[in-house]
């Protein structure tokens, strides 16, 4: 008789309340450091602008790495609140939800031209640093992966991982795409919409998925009659259907585009284009916000000047973007950029006193959980 896999509980409002005596007994059995870390987290919870996820190494050439969680305080200072040993390195954070990280590890350079066009072989895992457990997601690795996404399925209280695979053929159309989704509750991968015309027309995936409004969003190119078209490819996690979101009508018309990035700005989907306008010394960047989700006519534009821009890590609850820029002969500069006043506030990562540190991601909410405890 096959054994039914017990479904993990990710979020639930029906948990029974423990008595004070039981809570006290549990706390007396815990080491001091986790309790101090938890107390720090609580004290900062209502007095911060989110969290930075940083990677650090004992020495630059070390094969070992730690993941540090750093609180961004309201006064623009930073406080480290936790540190965990990463199960493997090099690694990339695909996404995180309710204390669970989705990580990939690969040998190839993720940013190389070959990797972007042809994909890469890699292993994928779910990692819960709070209980120091990780789960490898077994999959058919005979195909090249070109994009991932990590999402929460609210209807079934479940986690899903989406990946795009490049299949190589003979003939004029010598490659094609297919999508697979992994579900934590079933611990298995399966094809999704194998006959979907939109997926069959995809030529390139430019980014990993941004999870927003119950869907994963990707910047992608589709091919029609040898013409490439840039779109936002959307995967609805609930009904597992792919859809297209149209770009703004005048998107990047006056800019020599370098690259694009999806983000969430004040609860709305945003598309940011980093480029330079002909005849202008400053770098000008377009920020398009979709005021009414899914409605192409609701895109609104804002153009902002920035110098030596490198990447954006996220948006604060206000109108501030967390940005990194290149400094010649020095480490990258991190700062908050106010979209209304255009003021910049430096984030002095070096003041943390952590050597060989690199910023990986930013999040407004970071929780701990016991998911994967019984796996």
């Amino acid at each position: 008789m096959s054994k039914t896999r017990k479904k993990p509980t990710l979020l639930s409002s029906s948990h029974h309340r423990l008595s004070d005596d039981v809570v006290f007994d549990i706390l007396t059995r815990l080491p001091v450091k986790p309790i101090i870390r938890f107390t720090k987290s609580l004290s900062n919870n209502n007095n911060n602008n989110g969290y930075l996820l940083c990677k650090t190494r004992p020495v630059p050439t070390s094969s070992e790495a730690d993941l540090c969680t750093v609180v961004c305080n309201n006064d623009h200072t930073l406080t480290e609140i936790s540190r965990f040993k990463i199960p493997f390195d090099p690694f990339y954070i695909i996404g995180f939800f309710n204390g669970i990280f989705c990580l990939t590890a690969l040998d190839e350079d993720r940013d190389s031209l070959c990797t972007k066009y042809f994909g890469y072989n890699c292993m994928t895992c779910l990692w819960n640093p709070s209980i120091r457990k990780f789960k490898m997601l077994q999959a058919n690795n005979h195909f090249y992966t070109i994009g991932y996404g990590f999402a929460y399925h609210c209807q079934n209280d479940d986690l899903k991982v989406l990946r795009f695979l490049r299949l190589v053929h003979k003939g004029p159309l010598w490659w094609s795409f297919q999508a697979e989704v992994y579900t934590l509750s079933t611990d298995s991968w399966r094809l999704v919409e194998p006959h979907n015309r939109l997926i069959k027309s995809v030529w390139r995936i430019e980014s990993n998925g941004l999870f927003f409004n119950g869907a994963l969003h990707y910047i992608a190119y589709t091919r029609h009659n040898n013409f490439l078209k840039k779109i936002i490819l959307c995967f609805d996690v609930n009904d597992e259907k792919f859809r297209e979101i149209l770009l703004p009508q005048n998107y990047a018309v006056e800019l020599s585009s370098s690259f694009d990035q999806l983000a969430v700005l004040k609860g709305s989907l945003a598309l940011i284009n980093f480029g330079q306008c002909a005849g202008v010394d400053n770098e000008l960047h377009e920020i398009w916000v979709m005021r009414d989700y899914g409605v192409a006519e609701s895109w609104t534009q804002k153009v902002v000047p920035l110098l030596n821009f490198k990447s954006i890590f996220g948006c604060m609850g206000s109108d501030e973007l967390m940005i990194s820029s290149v400094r010649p002969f020095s480490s990258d500069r991190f700062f908050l950029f106010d979209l209304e006043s255009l003021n910049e506030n430096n984030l002095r990562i070096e003041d943390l006193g952590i050597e060989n540190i690199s910023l990986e991601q930013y999040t407004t909410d970071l929780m701990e959980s016991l998911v994967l405890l019984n796996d």
Side-chain angles (χ1 to χ4, degrees), residues 65-299:
D66 294 336
L67 182 69
C68 300
T69 305
V70 176
V71 169
C72 304
N73 302 310
N74 286 336
D75 61 357
H76 300 128
T77 59
L78 303 173
T79 305
E80 180 186 351
I81 60 171
S82 68
R83 183 180 295 208
F84 298 99
K85 189 68 65 180
I86 300 168
F88 50 74
D89 195 55
F91 78 98
Y92 299 100
I93 300 175
I94 300 301
F96 44 87
F97 180 82
N98 196 30
I100 304 297
F101 288 77
C102 182
L103 306 177
T104 62
L106 62 152
D107 295 329
E108 297 94 340
D109 178 5
R110 183 183 62 168
D111 297 322
S112 71
L113 209 58
C114 181
T115 296
K116 285 184 176 181
Y117 278 85
F118 294 99
Y120 45 81
N121 283 316
C122 62
M123 60 179 180
T124 311
C125 83
L126 299 180
W127 178 45
N128 187 336
S130 300
I131 57 175
R132 292 173 173 81
K133 289 200 68 173
F134 68 96
K135 177 181 182 59
M136 302 304 301
L137 307 186
Q138 302 299 327
N140 184 350
N141 287 320
H142 295 299
F143 305 115
Y144 287 104
T145 303
I146 61 161
Y148 274 99
F150 185 51
Y152 172 65
H153 186 190
C154 61
Q155 292 182 0
N156 291 346
D157 189 33
D158 209 350
L159 293 175
K160 292 184 178 182
V161 180
L162 180 71
R163 72 171 187 165
F164 294 95
L165 303 175
R166 187 186 295 279
L167 288 71
V168 179
H169 310 284
K170 292 182 178 179
L173 294 177
W174 56 283
W175 70 48
S176 63
F177 286 89
Q178 70 181 29
E180 291 184 342
V181 66
Y182 170 89
T183 306
L184 179 60
S185 60
T186 63
D187 190 23
S188 61
W189 293 89
R190 54 188 169 78
L191 282 175
V192 288
E193 294 207 284
H195 305 296
N196 184 292
R197 290 186 178 182
L198 182 59
I199 291 300
K200 286 182 175 295
S201 70
V202 170
W203 182 253
R204 193 165 82 239
I205 302 289
E206 287 284 286
S207 62
N208 281 321
L210 171 74
F211 184 57
F212 170 71
N213 202 36
L216 288 164
H217 301 78
Y218 302 81
I219 296 173
Y221 285 88
T222 57
R223 180 178 176 177
H224 301 277
N225 299 323
N226 294 324
F227 289 98
L228 294 182
K229 174 187 176 184
K230 183 184 291 186
I231 67 168
I232 296 176
L233 181 64
C234 176
F235 177 74
D236 191 299
V237 174
N238 291 318
D239 64 15
E240 295 190 348
K241 301 291 185 182
F242 286 98
R243 299 177 178 87
E244 175 185 350
I245 293 181
L246 295 177
L247 296 181
Q249 187 173 2
N250 298 317
Y251 181 67
V253 171
E254 297 181 358
L255 297 182
S256 56
S257 175
S258 52
F259 66 97
D260 314 273
Q261 187 172 339
L262 292 168
V264 177
L265 262 176
K266 298 185 71 173
S268 296
L269 181 67
L271 177 60
I272 306 174
N273 176 266
F274 310 105
Q276 190 162 1
C277 188
V280 179
D281 293 334
N282 282 353
E283 297 174 7
L284 296 177
H285 310 291
E286 291 183 342
I287 300 177
W288 292 86
V289 177
M290 184 172 259
R291 301 297 181 187
D292 189 0
Y293 180 75
V295 179
E297 293 76 17
S298 70
W299 286 111

